[in-house]
Amino acid sequence: MVNSIKIERLRGIRECILEDFGRFNIFLGHNNCGKTTVLEAIYLFLGNDNIIGNVNINNLRQLIVDSDEKYKLNFYNLDTEQSIILFGIYDNAQRKAEFKYWEHFAEALDVNDIKDKQTALEKEYGLQQTFDTPVGTYQSKLILSSDKNKQARVEAPKELGSHINSVYLSSIIGHSNYVNDFYSTVLKQKKEDKLIAILREIEPSIKDAVIADNLLMVDIGLKQRVPIQVLGDGIRKIFDIIAAMFQCENGVLLIDEMENGFHYQSMPILWRAIIQTAKELNVQVFATTHNIDTLQAVNAVLQEDAYKEMQPQWRAFTLRKFSEGELIAYKHTYKQFSYLLNEDREIR
């Protein structure tokens, strides 16, 4: 599990320190305070073997990195002279990730044309990432070209350190590019009945789910299975979340704006499913929200007899951004969180 993290110079965050994470962690705060960036930081912090992580975090925001200027958006104040630094503790051991931007000009020439070649050089740019872990230091390089072909390549050693299972689910409903892969894992483990049982609590007509023609198809009692896209957003999102948890067993799940697509009456079902599945699969959960119904739902669920034992593993962090890019995190244990909610104190 991630125990703590210090973020330096990532997007709009100049510095932020978050400590004493639990198994369940939720980030609160005003719009544009940095909640999503904190999730992205944790995702990058775990990705010593994920060479395109800095591209992925932009893709998840539907921002396609196709120029050096867009790549610079990951850096605080667009200042690529200073590295992004992520330092923290994972499984009670220190690790550090550093991301450096670089660029230079180069061109591949045919040896027979060297004397006559007059064309301008093309710019290459990219990111070098270095991970210091308890078992070694691992460095890799992503190289992109500004030419019309938009070519990319990777330079990396054969070993990039041990893999940490982690999945990042963006706030966009039903747009997980990997949901078929997630569900394939569930099918291989013969655990689809458990997932379907959770879905039936929201949509009783669901009988099963299969993958066919590269689509996730569900049986809802019609003469043939239909793509899950024809069902409500809530069904699609809960499917993404629970299937992703099987994918990141013994790892970390990150969920941005988890309430998107859910009616407030379905939130307790979602929380029970997350808590129980995370317990069974040893998954640490990080999520963002600014929705009061989401908070009231988890507060109520954690007071149920079946889930009271998980209260000590719950954390809420209220994020407040100050001048000069400093982000302060105010931690609440479950007892503090519950008290503030019950007293109608604003913690979002």
Side-chain angles (χ1 to χ4, degrees):
M1 291 191 0
V2 182
N3 307 107
S4 65
I5 189 171
K6 179 180 181 183
I7 305 165
E8 295 183 6
R9 297 183 292 276
L10 177 63
R11 298 205 192 272
I13 300 176
R14 178 182 60 81
E15 181 178 274
C16 179
I17 299 174
L18 297 118
E19 299 177 307
D20 189 30
F21 289 133
R23 179 171 297 281
F24 306 98
N25 308 273
I26 195 158
F27 299 120
L28 315 171
H30 302 149
N31 289 334
N32 202 38
C33 74
K35 298 187 297 295
T36 298
T37 302
V38 169
L39 284 190
E40 293 170 338
I42 297 170
Y43 172 74
L44 293 175
F45 176 67
L46 300 173
N48 47 277
D49 60 342
N50 183 7
I51 301 170
I52 60 171
N54 272 270
V55 175
N56 286 341
I57 63 172
N58 287 308
N59 290 341
L60 289 165
R61 293 182 183 232
Q62 294 190 309
L63 176 65
I64 304 303
V65 179
D66 56 4
S67 70
D68 57 322
E69 292 303 317
K70 288 182 180 177
Y71 212 84
K72 295 175 182 178
L73 295 173
N74 292 5
F75 290 79
Y76 178 68
N77 280 350
L78 306 181
D79 180 7
T80 55
E81 295 299 315
Q82 298 192 75
S83 301
I84 297 168
I85 303 289
L86 306 173
F87 178 82
I89 298 176
Y90 177 78
D91 277 354
N92 299 314
Q94 291 185 350
R95 59 190 281 129
K96 175 184 176 183
E98 180 177 7
F99 304 91
K100 292 183 178 180
Y101 177 85
W102 60 270
E103 60 182 40
H104 64 240
F105 290 92
E107 184 172 11
L109 303 178
D110 187 303
V111 67
N112 296 319
D113 293 337
I114 289 178
K115 291 182 179 180
D116 300 323
K117 198 73 172 178
Q118 298 289 325
T119 187
L121 297 175
E122 295 287 348
K123 180 161 68 175
E124 288 188 338
Y125 61 96
L127 202 73
Q128 176 178 293
Q129 61 184 41
T130 304
F131 281 82
D132 292 320
T133 75
V135 295
T137 297
Y138 306 95
Q139 189 175 95
S140 58
K141 196 173 187 180
L142 177 64
I143 304 168
L144 300 98
S145 172
S146 62
D147 69 12
K148 62 182 179 181
N149 295 320
K150 304 296 182 185
Q151 295 179 344
R153 67 182 192 275
V154 167
E155 291 181 358
K158 290 183 179 180
E159 297 294 332
L160 283 170
S162 58
H163 175 72
I164 299 172
N165 289 335
S166 64
V167 172
Y168 186 118
L169 295 178
S170 76
S171 59
I172 303 169
I173 299 169
H175 284 72
S176 171
N177 294 326
Y178 308 106
V179 66
N180 287 8
D181 293 338
F182 298 163
Y183 192 54
S184 293
T185 299
V186 176
L187 292 171
K188 290 174 184 176
Q189 296 176 356
K190 295 184 176 181
K191 294 182 178 179
E192 64 270 22
D193 289 347
K194 177 177 176 58
L195 196 156
I196 297 301
I198 294 170
L199 296 182
R200 283 200 194 109
E201 293 192 52
I202 298 177
E203 179 49 69
S205 66
I206 293 178
K207 303 181 186 308
D208 72 9
V210 299
I211 296 173
D213 296 330
N214 204 32
L215 290 173
L216 183 59
M217 311 287 287
V218 292
D219 182 353
I220 55 174
L222 302 178
K223 62 180 180 181
Q224 66 181 44
R225 292 184 177 89
V226 297
I228 197 171
Q229 284 86 347
V230 305
L231 302 183
D233 289 337
I235 287 289
R236 294 158 64 189
K237 184 132 187 188
I238 197 170
F239 195 102
D240 278 8
I241 291 173
I242 302 305
M245 295 184 81
F246 284 91
Q247 187 73 16
C248 56
E249 185 172 2
N250 298 314
V252 177
L253 175 64
L254 305 121
I255 315 168
D256 195 19
E257 295 185 17
M258 62 176 301
E259 72 277 0
N260 280 7
F262 280 101
H263 189 273
Y264 74 94
Q265 290 182 333
S266 297
M267 289 307 303
I269 297 171
L270 174 63
W271 273 116
R272 292 186 193 103
I274 289 176
I275 293 170
Q276 188 61 37
T277 308
K279 178 182 175 183
E280 292 178 6
L281 299 178
N282 188 33
V283 175
Q284 186 180 22
V285 178
F286 294 89
T288 71
T289 187
H290 46 69
N291 181 275
I292 192 64
D293 293 326
T294 301
L295 304 181
Q296 290 174 341
V298 72
N299 183 35
V301 168
L302 286 171
Q303 293 180 37
E304 297 174 5
D305 289 341
Y307 302 102
K308 282 183 178 179
E309 64 175 351
M310 307 306 290
Q311 290 180 7
Q313 300 187 49
W314 167 264
R315 301 286 187 277
F317 295 86
T318 300
L319 305 181
R320 294 286 184 260
K321 182 178 281 189
F322 293 86
S323 61
E324 307 273 334
E326 183 183 20
L327 187 65
I328 302 294
Y330 299 93
K331 184 192 76 176
H332 313 288
T333 63
Y334 172 72
K335 287 185 177 180
Q336 294 166 336
F337 165 78
S338 182
Y339 172 80
L340 292 171
L341 271 187
N342 293 336
E343 293 294 316
D344 290 326
R345 303 285 184 88
E346 181 57 71
I347 63 173
R348 295 171 296 167

